[in-house]
Amino acid sequence: MSQTVSDFIVQRLHQWGVRHIFGYPGDGINGVFGAMNRAEGKIGFVQARHEEMAAFMASAYAKFSGRLGVCIATSGPGASHLITGLYDALLDHQPVLAIVGQQARNALGGHYQQELDLLSMFKDVAGAYVMQASSPAQVRHVIDRAVRIALARRTPTVIILPNDLQEEPYESPPHAHGTLHSGIGYSAPSITPHEADLDRAAEVLNAGKKVAMLVGAGALGATDEVIAVADRLSAGCAKALLGKAALPDDLPWVTGSIGLLGTEPSYNMMMECDTLLMVGSAFPYAEFLPKESAVRGVQIDIDASMLSIRFPMEVGLVGDAAETLRALLPRLKPKSDGAWRQRIEDDVAKWWKTLDGQAHQPAAPVNPQLVAWELSPRLPDRAIVTSDSGSCANWFARDLKMRRGMTASLSGGLASMGAAVPYALAAKYAHPDRPVIALVGDGAMQMNNMAELITAAKYWRNWKDPRFVVCVFNNEDLNQVTWEQRIINGDPKFEASQRIPDVSYSRFAELIGLRGIFVDSSELLGSAWEQALGYEMPVVLEVKTDPEVPPLPPHITLQQAKNFSLALMKGDPDEGGMIRGAARQVLETILPGKE
């Protein structure tokens, strides 16, 4: 049997190092699936329950493995379903290749069933490279360019394959005019700034008396270098959400997360510093950064387009975070006055006590903050933690203490609901020997994460370490948006949009062959975590949490306080619990340990 175009595609992807493809089948892409079957396991196929989840898996696989993530879908709706997950990869700068089917070439342009203008549809999300193959000899360079561009630019790319082309005999491009002869291979370059630019950056940092650092996902591979520079500058360090694992939280000068989901020490440090060093972060919220013109700034980023768009930096350094920090370190002078860092450390120590007090405030029935707080000391070594968007991300950001060797992520730039479980599944394919924990709100669970538990049930026996815990915060409320309605808009909770059905997620887990644990008592939470993490199979830990424990920002503005009052004046349906929950959290900040 001669090699088909699809056989060549699978072979070429294998040569590029692809070992996993996430997706869902359909007649528009059957040729490639047949080739994967004939390849006898050279590339493993992971069957998601929905194409959007497959794209999230590909994005997360790229995050957790550092390699290319690949997803596949059929024509028409299969292809369009990939869009959200691909935008997750685009906004978080991850290399992902999407392979999608298309109707036969002779039918294109004829309003055929499932015929979409896929080139136009994918042009925004995969603007770096989206191409429809039209002949067998073209396929080689289409694959090679799509893979190389995705890896080099850390972005999604798309290949569109008409279904009739997939079954044609493969032909190498002839040695003739008008043909291309591409090859395999890409190694990331070493990128460091010019010496003169490093000197300029060092001058700014050496002149500062109160240096604050902010690290993001770009610093995940530069932990030792960040620590060395922070120690040299006697700086404190805040972490953007995607950089949560860049520094361990047992360092006394690490202030934790920043922004709406951030900590009070991070906010205070940014408001009081005189110099800002930002490393590998696209943190978007200007109100949580120093005031413009009051602070000098240096930024390091591998992508020049990200320089000076969040804060007007005096020096922008284009380079790899670890290599640039190593080149910068010898130019930095130790700070003689340790008062600034001591102030930060005192603030951090006080904050951890405040969080402890907030987590242990009474709630009906369980304080959601306590869920993450009780998990922290029980996290296994080398654990991977994923979080969904919503109020659970607040507790993930603030209360979960990362240790060296751990990894954590979520949908960052897109902040999409429904990513936690597909992220966790992808983590198992990137690192099958590591325990994985997903933190999910009940809204995201109902949206699509419940379905992906079926994926876990299908594949978990293949994982070297089968520990896989999905923790569901069940409060029957789209909680983050409820509090945004109150605090940002000054409106009471809108029951029609916010209330969601009460579902037994733990019983659903049991129904499909997984373990389920239900907790509605704070006293049982710690032992429930230990039980869940002790099972050698996937577990759903369902915790009945109080929706009236507010995910408050670290700094309450006057306008936010006014909006809160307006929501009460308009008659919030949960007014009593709303007042009690907010009062307990705020008072714990002012008077730690008091109820």
Side-chain angles (χ1 to χ4, degrees), residues 193-202 298 315-318 328 331:
H194 291 296
E195 299 287 323
D197 293 324
L198 290 166
D199 290 340
R200 290 173 54 226
V298 174
V315 182
L317 300 175
V318 179
L328 188 59
R331 295 168 162 84

Side-chain angles (χ1 to χ4, degrees), residues 483 548-550 552 564 577-587:
W483 282 96
E548 301 311 326
V549 176
L552 296 174
F564 183 82
M578 174 184 168
I579 294 172
R580 286 192 299 273
R584 284 169 176 157
Q585 295 294 302
V586 172
L587 285 174

Side-chain angles (χ1 to χ4, degrees), residues 58-88:
S59 177
Y61 179 83
K63 285 186 179 184
F64 291 128
S65 71
R67 299 186 292 273
L68 179 74
V70 183
C71 55
I72 189 168
T74 189
S75 54
S80 63
H81 284 161
L82 293 175
I83 290 285
T84 300
L86 293 180
Y87 270 113
D88 182 64

Side-chain angles (χ1 to χ4, degrees), residues 240-251:
L241 207 49
L242 289 176
K244 184 171 176 64
L247 287 171
D249 287 303
D250 54 10
L251 294 172

Side-chain angles (χ1 to χ4, degrees), residues 544-588:
K544 198 69 177 176
T545 55
D546 188 344
E548 301 311 326
V549 176
L552 296 174
H555 176 73
I556 307 295
T557 66
L558 180 60
Q559 186 60 52
Q560 288 168 338
K562 288 181 178 178
N563 290 342
F564 183 82
S565 300
L566 281 172
L568 289 173
M569 290 170 61
K570 294 174 182 177
D572 195 277
D574 296 323
E575 181 177 314
M578 174 184 168
I579 294 172
R580 286 192 299 273
R584 284 169 176 157
Q585 295 294 302
V586 172
L587 285 174
E588 185 58 45

Side-chain angles (χ1 to χ4, degrees), residues 495-528:
E495 286 280 307
S497 72
Q498 300 312 107
R499 182 73 67 183
I500 62 174
D502 185 14
V503 174
S504 180
Y505 308 97
S506 52
R507 289 174 61 193
F508 177 78
E510 297 277 359
L511 181 67
I512 61 173
L514 307 180
R515 292 285 184 178
I517 302 172
F518 178 78
V519 177
D520 60 359
S521 168
S522 298
E523 289 73 24
L524 300 177
L525 191 53
S527 60

